[in-house]
Amino acid sequence: MYKIEVVENGVQAISTINSLENQGFAKKDIYLFAHDKDRSENLTDATDTSGVGMKEQGVFDSIGNVFRSRGDELRTKMASLGMTDVEAQQYEEVLDAGKLVVVGSKVN
């Protein structure tokens, strides 16, 4: 089960994360994506949400991300949370536009 929200900035992301928590998602099940890697890491740290890592992706995808473009890496990470390839492509385009994608995912 997963829920996806698109937001404009960090303030909206915090509000969305609080809403997801109220819907039963634990912070460890909430992921925040931004196209800019530094922005993504900073917001993930600031909101105390999870990063997509080896646990979600598996060893081969995690290692493969080192050699992928940022867009490919993001699509792989989103797909590991349960999105279809088409959904991951659509949300990666949203990220290209400078927006943030917040995902609550209970795939673990």
Side-chain angles (χ1 to χ4, degrees):
M1 174 177 99
Y2 62 93
K3 181 162 181 144
I4 306 165
E5 298 287 338
V6 175
V7 298
E8 298 284 333
N9 55 47
V11 173
Q12 289 178 356
I14 291 169
S15 176
T16 299
I17 290 164
N18 291 335
S19 175
L20 288 170
E21 284 184 294
N22 290 335
Q23 295 173 45
F25 291 94
K27 281 224 178 172
K28 69 176 184 65
D29 298 324
I30 300 172
Y31 304 85
L32 193 146
F33 294 94
H35 203 280
D36 179 82
K37 195 170 197 151
D38 289 336
R39 183 179 185 204
S40 183
E41 290 173 0
N42 290 339
L43 286 168
T44 296
D45 289 344
T47 58
D48 196 30
T49 53
S50 290
V52 177
M54 211 173 301
K55 176 181 170 189
E56 294 81 10
Q57 295 183 93
V59 175
F60 294 112
D61 279 336
S62 291
I63 293 170
N65 281 339
V66 173
F67 304 102
R68 291 185 175 112
S69 70
R70 180 67 176 156
D72 290 343
E73 175 186 357
L74 289 166
R75 287 189 297 278
T76 300
K77 287 182 175 186
M78 288 188 275
S80 73
L81 298 177
M83 287 187 204
T84 65
D85 291 340
V86 172
E87 287 175 317
Q89 174 66 39
Q90 290 171 339
Y91 286 108
E92 197 266 325
E93 290 173 9
V94 167
L95 295 174
D96 284 342
K99 296 182 182 179
L100 304 171
V101 174
V102 181
V103 180
S105 177
K106 294 184 180 181
V107 296
N108 310 353

